Structure formats: structure tokens, C-alpha cells
Amino acid sequence: MRIFGKVRHRPSASWRQATDRAFTLIGDGRYEDAGALLTRAADLEPWLSESWFNLALLHKFRHDWEQARAAGLRAVALLDREAGAPDWWNVGIAATALQDWPLARRAWQAYGLKVPGEGAPSDEPVGMELGSAAVRLSPEGEAEVVWGRRLDPARIEVLSIPLPSSGRRWGEVVLHDGVPHGERVTSAGPSYPVFDEIELWAPSPVPTWVVLLEAATEADRDALERLAADAGFAAEDWSSSVRLLCRSCSESRMPSDEGDGEQHLDPHDHSEPGHPGPLGHRTAGDLWVPERECGIAAPSGLVRGLLDGWVADSPDTREWRDLEEVC
């Protein structure tokens, strides 16, 4: 095949050596040194789409979105297939990070996805109906997997209330990578991919609070979650929703308690049964522990009224204390 007058050929040994060494350096976090080698590889083989794909990948790791977009466009210009190439996916991520919506639409369509609203190419792609997914916040730090709604192939709106250690809030939108690392499986059967966060795309103005509840029954706990949702915000019982998993399990196919009300014991779960606290506190079997640690996402002017209203509805079975803003 001839591209721009050049014959497509296998990369040279020098190209392979430079590229292999560059990815070893990337694994060690030495992005500057890797960049010099990948630039050299692109100089050696400028007609290879892989040369520019690798550079685009490096710039994605560095969150240098202008450079990632430029290298990605050079990569797709040299492709020898029409659809489904990961090069287009990386272009879509870079374009989304830069809010370059015409290019983002073009990238998703070139990959083979249907993008509604084709009559307005300059608008943000909406209505792709990609459903729910999980996202791993702070994947290189104290990683936490939370649930969210996919806005498009590169963004998730966080619908769980993250723990404060993640630095993330309910309602934030995060940019995420395209290759899932793990799955969460519900008792109803569907499985959901777990994507790794790349960076925060849109912050949330809604603070996160932690409060200790005395909820005599699960119905009392559920009432607070409904009350918060009805107000347009959220409450989450961290005493039942948080599990500690080793990295291997977190990145594998794991059962989820989402929506089934059951506890799934796992040998790699390091939670401590019956002990409230942000690092894991599950109850064994059907035993209900009235003291619950709850996360609440609500404005400061609303949160105390929300809790007081919850108690007022059933003062004999409900109580709260130790409210603290944590993120």
C-alpha cells in the first residue's frame, strides 16, 4: 500500500528498539525520556500510524491534550482501515478534554459509534445512551470504584458519594480511559465495565458530609436516602456500600451489591464486619447494626434541615450526630 507516495513497510529494528525502550520508561513514569525516544521513532518512521499513535498515547498519559490531539490526527491520517481503530478513540478523548466537539463527534463516528444530533456538529454530543458504568477514581493513589452515568464514550457523571480520600464529589464529571479494568456484576445478571479516571472534567459545587446515624431499621436508612434524592441531592450508607478490595480483585470481574441488598463475601475483602468507618464496615448475614456512617452530598444550608426532617418523621427510631464536612 502506498501512503503519500511512500510504500508501507515493517518498522525498522531501530524503531522497535526506541519504541520498546520508551514504553519501559513510561511504565517507570519517566515521560520526558520516553517522549524523546518516541519522537525519534516518529522521525525514523513518519509513515507509520503507530509512530503517531504512540506519541498520542504518551501525551494522553501526560494530560497534554493539545499535543495528544495533534499526534492523534496524524495517526488517523495514516490508517489503512475505515472504522474501529483505537487511534480514533484516543482522538475522541483528547477532543473531549479540549471540548472540541466537532472533532469528538467525528472521532466517535469514525470509530463506529452512533452520535445523535448530527445536525449540530458544534454541540456537545448528548443522548448517546451508553448507560451506567463504574469508574475508578484516583487509580494511581487510594483508588475507589464508584457508580456513574456515561455521558459519552469518554466521560462519566459520578452518582455515588465518593469517600473524601478520593478528592472527588457527587455530581462531578470525570474524563476516563477507553479500556476497562475490571467489571462489576449485579445479581440480576448485567455486568458493568470499570473505567479508570484520567482527570476531573467538571467539578461539583456540592460538598460531601459524613454523619453518624442511629437508624433502627433498614427502612429508616432508606428513608434518608429517598429524602435526599427528592431534594435533588444524595445520601449513601457507607456502612453497607464500602468494601476494601486488593488491586487484583478490584480490576477483575467482581459481584456488586448494587441493587440486590445482599452481601457478597470475598476472601480479598479487608472490611471489618459491624465497625462503622470509611475503610469498610459490612454486616454479616441479616444482622442489622443501627449505627451507620452515612455520606451526604448536599449544600451547607440544606444538610442539617434534611437530617432534622428525617428524624422528625420517626423520632423514636432515628437520630443523628457528628456531622462534618469532609470534601
Side-chain angles (χ1 to χ4, degrees), residues 126-268:
V126 295
M128 295 187 71
E129 298 182 356
L130 299 176
S132 300
V135 61
R136 182 175 291 104
L137 305 175
S138 304
E140 300 304 323
E142 293 187 25
E144 177 184 359
V145 175
V146 298
W147 290 96
R149 177 174 67 94
R150 300 187 71 186
L151 303 180
D152 58 36
R155 293 179 300 160
I156 289 180
E157 178 187 11
V158 176
L159 299 182
S160 299
I161 302 178
L163 297 174
S165 58
S166 72
R168 295 285 175 260
R169 289 176 166 182
W170 169 86
E172 290 188 327
V173 177
V174 298
L175 192 73
H176 66 82
D177 218 339
V179 178
H181 282 160
E183 287 182 292
R184 294 298 180 266
V185 186
T186 65
S187 62
S191 63
Y192 298 89
V194 180
F195 297 101
D196 285 348
E197 174 194 15
I198 297 176
E199 67 180 17
L200 178 64
W201 191 88
S204 169
V206 181
T208 303
W209 307 80
V210 62
V211 64
L212 285 179
L213 305 179
E214 286 291 332
T217 66
E218 290 185 66
D220 289 307
R221 184 272 317 275
D222 294 345
L224 177 60
E225 294 182 349
R226 285 196 302 272
L227 200 62
D230 290 344
F233 299 99
E236 182 177 327
D237 180 10
W238 284 342
S239 294
S240 60
S241 66
V242 175
R243 285 194 293 166
L244 286 183
L245 299 174
C246 67
R247 184 180 185 123
S248 175
C249 285
S250 178
E251 295 183 354
S252 67
R253 182 180 174 89
M254 291 294 297
S256 168
D257 298 336
E258 185 75 4
D260 60 21
E262 298 178 2
Q263 295 291 338
H264 296 287
L265 298 176
D266 183 88
H268 295 269

Side-chain angles (χ1 to χ4, degrees), residues 302-324:
L302 176 67
V303 63
R304 287 175 177 81
L306 194 69
L307 288 163
D308 287 341
W310 172 70
V311 171
D313 287 339
S314 183
D316 293 335
T317 62
R318 302 173 187 175
E319 186 180 344
W320 67 270
R321 70 180 190 276
D322 299 338
L323 179 67
E324 180 185 359

